[in-house]
Amino acid sequence: MSDLATAFVRLHARLAPVAFVPEVRLHQADEPIGLWELTEGEFRSAQPPPFWAFAWAGGQGLARYVTDHPDLVAGRRVLDLASGSGLVAIAAARAGAASVRAVEVDERAVAAVALNAEANGVRVDAEFGDILDGDAGDAEVVLAGDVFYSEAMARRMLRFLLRAARSGARVLVGDPGRAFLPRERFRELASYDVPVPEALESVRVKRTTVWELDAALPGAAR
């Protein structure tokens, strides 16, 4: 991670407990719209606010599940996709994962993951890059929070997750009812009412579900 990216995270986010997973502290932005304008250039941008600066509902739900079910990851190699702040990766590390790899396409997110892991006293290997056209490597558990927010992303993500599941990994996602989640290919593990920033979601609470991918379900993409 670059010194500039690290300095940016420190400047624009403060360390605070996560609403639904208070065991974890993250560098979080107090005012989402201002940071959106700063990083995207103008309010009318079609891009969402920086993922790394907020604890999104899907990630909070998935991190809660991992925290409450440490046997899922304990002693296993974990991959956290589109890690954002690193919340899910940190939860997995705290739960006893043998190793945790957190992948992001945003350099500032990589910096945030590293800073947040350090703040929580755990090791997470933060990696910059887009791996969705590849595979999950040696990961035994693959986690992804709030990744089905666009049609294009959902298609790429599903293909990657199916490859991981067919290679033997357990694949779990946290999702707060995004439009592009293919629910017919998942089975529900848990549901939570997760506090969220009203400025981002237009509500104060999002019903969030943790799902496990079943690669054997009929009609699964190849």
Side-chain angles (χ1 to χ4, degrees):
M1 62 179 175
S2 74
D3 291 340
L4 283 175
T6 300
F8 188 92
V9 173
R10 289 188 185 277
L11 179 62
H12 294 286
R14 64 180 180 88
L15 199 61
V18 175
F20 200 61
V21 197
E23 300 93 330
V24 176
R25 296 187 302 156
L26 299 177
H27 288 83
Q28 302 172 67
D30 289 322
E31 204 289 294
I33 301 305
L35 186 58
W36 182 353
E37 291 177 316
L38 179 64
T39 56
E40 299 297 340
E42 62 175 340
F43 181 76
R44 294 185 304 276
S45 170
Q47 297 298 318
F51 288 125
W52 58 266
F54 311 99
W56 297 84
Q60 289 196 68
L62 186 54
R64 181 75 268 158
Y65 187 85
V66 169
T67 298
D68 293 343
H69 301 83
D71 54 304
L72 170 69
V73 298
R76 294 182 171 88
R77 298 179 297 273
V78 175
L79 170 63
D80 179 26
L81 283 170
S83 188
S85 64
L87 169 58
V88 175
I90 291 165
R94 292 185 72 258
S99 64
V100 183
R101 177 187 176 203
V103 180
E104 253 295 343
V105 296
D106 182 344
E107 187 179 34
R108 289 168 179 161
V110 174
V113 171
L115 286 171
N116 291 331
E118 181 181 12
N120 287 275
V122 296
R123 176 174 177 175
V124 172
D125 296 320
E127 177 182 326
F128 176 73
D130 182 341
I131 66 170
L132 291 185
D133 292 329
D135 58 46
D138 65 354
E140 297 170 281
V141 181
V142 177
L143 304 172
D146 224 333
V147 294
F148 291 94
Y149 53 82
S150 76
E151 186 174 8
M153 178 69 164
R155 284 198 302 266
R156 295 189 68 211
M157 183 62 67
L158 180 62
R159 287 194 292 266
F160 181 95
L161 296 178
L162 283 166
R163 288 194 296 272
R166 288 166 179 162
S167 295
R170 288 193 70 181
V171 175
L172 274 67
V173 304
D175 186 86
R178 304 299 185 201
F180 300 102
L181 174 73
R183 290 167 182 78
E184 69 279 4
R185 292 173 179 170
F186 291 84
R187 63 184 184 92
E188 180 177 335
L189 299 180
S191 289
Y192 308 103
D193 290 322
V194 178
V196 293
E198 189 173 9
L200 294 179
E201 300 281 14
S202 300
V203 295
R204 294 183 183 274
V205 174
K206 293 279 287 187
R207 187 68 175 172
T208 299
T209 303
V210 176
W211 304 89
E212 182 166 10
L213 179 65
D214 186 346
L217 284 173
R222 292 179 172 81

